[in-house]
Amino acid sequence: MTSSEYSAVFLAEDRRQPAIIGMAVVTTLSLVVVLVRLYARGYLIRELGWDDLTIVIAQIVSWIVLGLSVVVFHYGSGQHLAALMKNPETLVHMYKWLVGAQLVYMFNLWLCRISGITFYARLNQMPRFILYLRMSFAFVTVVFVAQTLIVALQCVPLAALWGGEEGKCMGSVTVFISTSVLTIVCDLLVLLLPMHIVFSLQAKLARKLALALVLCVGVFAVVTSILRMISMIVALQHPDDATWYFSVVMAWSTAEISAAIIALSLPALRALFGFWNRNRSTNHSSSNETTTIGLQFIPRSRQQPILDGDDGHDGHDTHDGHAEHDTHETTFDVD
């Protein structure tokens, strides 16, 4: 059907402004969380690590994703396809920028996963667990490469995607569903990795479950990944108006990245409150009292492998006559 067969009201409908505002809000929120994380880790605890570096890079790249998405919206995403048929050249530009946005989006998620894996390495340096982390790193990297190839080679030549040349294409269903499923699988993998840490501790079941809840806040990223895939299925069911429905997919893509960054930073924010609580507790307790801290507050210099059946103590007492070196019992608290 041509644009003349649609009403003027229908052709004038536009989703771009609310979508861009929503994407900017969630990206800004993740930036604020990362800045607070850097303050807690870099200034209060003074224990910045590779997980902090990768999350900072991920945050920077998320703004690039936002910028590319805005360009895609500029060229027509969020409007009805019929309204864009008067200027087919606009659709060509939209598809080109969309491919670029997809590639950077997948790189952004890979950075988030690497940040999560390196964070878990700070918590438990037991050789067997480090092996799990290395295998996980290899898996998510292979998936990232596979997703990149799927998008980059979805049409051969790629110009066939926007009708620039004749060629063969995988089809939108194959490309988008396969990459979305792989994304959810990787998110679930990173989400489940901390369970080995939690259940290797000697503690009551309620305490373990509470600690697991703290470490597994990444479930929010998994939820956004699922919602993104649902919105993508809806878009694929309306190929006659793909530009209108795919705007929702792009909004969920940005939300997914921001949710991952925030979820991976929340444990570090817990360290901020742990720092304040420890200082307050120190002022009102003797040097031999038990100090409770969160897993995320353990400085690298005091980390020990958490062995199966270990009670969480470092096993070394120091008595040198100075208050700051008196014996402290370390426990893991999630209250």
Side-chain angles (χ1 to χ4, degrees):
M1 298 178 69
T2 62
S3 59
S4 60
E5 299 179 50
Y6 296 91
S7 67
V9 174
F10 176 83
L11 295 176
E13 290 180 336
D14 196 331
R15 284 177 164 176
R16 290 179 293 181
Q17 184 176 359
I20 292 174
I21 292 175
M23 294 162 64
V25 168
V26 296
T27 305
T28 302
L29 179 61
S30 66
L31 172 62
V32 172
V33 172
V34 168
L35 291 176
V36 176
R37 167 185 180 149
L38 294 178
Y39 171 75
R41 286 276 184 86
Y43 179 75
L44 296 181
I45 304 175
R46 303 185 187 279
E47 285 288 342
L48 288 173
W50 285 105
D51 55 322
D52 301 301
L53 174 62
T54 50
I55 208 66
V56 168
I57 298 175
Q59 178 62 62
I60 295 173
V61 175
S62 72
W63 285 96
I64 299 177
V65 173
L66 176 61
L68 292 172
S69 300
V70 170
V71 175
V72 175
F73 277 111
H74 171 72
Y75 283 114
S77 182
Q79 294 179 282
H80 290 292
L81 182 60
L84 303 173
M85 296 307 295
K86 294 180 180 179
N87 188 6
E89 187 65 22
T90 300
L91 289 174
V92 173
H93 289 301
M94 187 196 72
Y95 279 115
K96 289 180 178 180
W97 285 100
L98 179 60
V99 171
Q102 289 175 315
L103 293 173
V104 180
Y105 153 81
M106 288 182 294
F107 175 64
N108 208 164
L109 286 181
W110 177 78
L111 285 172
C112 292
R113 294 166 191 146
I114 298 306
S115 178
I117 291 173
T118 52
F119 168 67
Y120 299 148
R122 289 164 63 103
L123 300 183
N124 189 345
Q125 297 178 5
M126 186 175 69
R128 184 175 62 181
F129 186 68
I130 294 298
L131 176 62
Y132 294 159
L133 295 181
R134 289 175 179 172
M135 294 172 62
S136 300
F137 171 82
F139 178 76
V140 299
T141 301
V142 168
V143 168
F144 162 65
V145 172
Q147 289 177 314
T148 302
L149 292 176
I150 290 173
V151 173
L153 302 177
Q154 58 184 298
C155 288
V156 180
L158 187 59
L161 178 64
W162 48 82
E165 296 182 30
E166 293 292 330
K168 295 183 178 180
C169 296
M170 300 180 189
S172 299
V173 174
T174 301
V175 172
F176 292 121
I177 298 301
S178 61
T179 54
S180 295
V181 170
L182 289 173
T183 294
I184 294 174
V185 170
C186 287
D187 289 344
L188 287 173
L189 173 64
V190 176
L191 176 67
L192 295 175
L193 278 174
M195 293 303 96
H196 177 84
I197 299 176
V198 173
F199 291 100
S200 65
L201 297 174
Q202 276 199 345
K204 294 181 179 179
L205 179 60
R207 180 64 57 84
K208 289 183 179 181
L209 293 177
L211 186 54
L213 181 62
V214 171
L215 290 177
C216 289
V217 288
V219 67
F220 297 110
V222 177
V223 171
T224 54
S225 296
I226 294 174
L227 292 174
R228 177 181 180 272
M229 188 172 71
I230 292 174
S231 66
M232 186 172 293
I233 293 173
V234 173
L236 294 174
Q237 291 174 340
H238 297 83
D240 56 335
D241 202 7
T243 54
W244 175 259
Y245 289 95
F246 202 79
S247 60
V248 181
V249 178
M250 298 191 65
W252 276 117
S253 298
T254 305
E256 179 184 10
I257 293 171
S258 297
I261 292 174
I262 292 172
L264 291 168
S265 298
L266 286 181
L269 300 188
R270 176 173 172 75
L272 175 66
F273 296 108
F275 180 88
W276 289 339
N277 290 336
R278 192 184 73 155
N279 284 347
R280 184 175 58 183
S281 175
T282 301
N283 293 333
H284 297 86
S285 61
S286 64
S287 60
N288 287 326
E289 287 183 345
T290 297
T291 301
T292 61
I293 60 177
L295 277 173
Q296 297 76 15
F297 185 72
I298 305 175
R300 183 178 299 276
S301 59
R302 293 188 58 190
Q303 288 179 11
Q304 296 290 336
I306 304 175
L307 303 177
D308 293 338
D310 189 15
D311 60 0
H313 298 169
D314 59 13
H316 297 281
D317 294 334
T318 304
H319 302 280
D320 59 0
H322 299 286
E324 62 269 23
H325 293 292
D326 286 344
T327 302
H328 288 267
E329 178 186 357
T330 301
T331 62
F332 299 101
D333 195 4
V334 294
D335 296 331

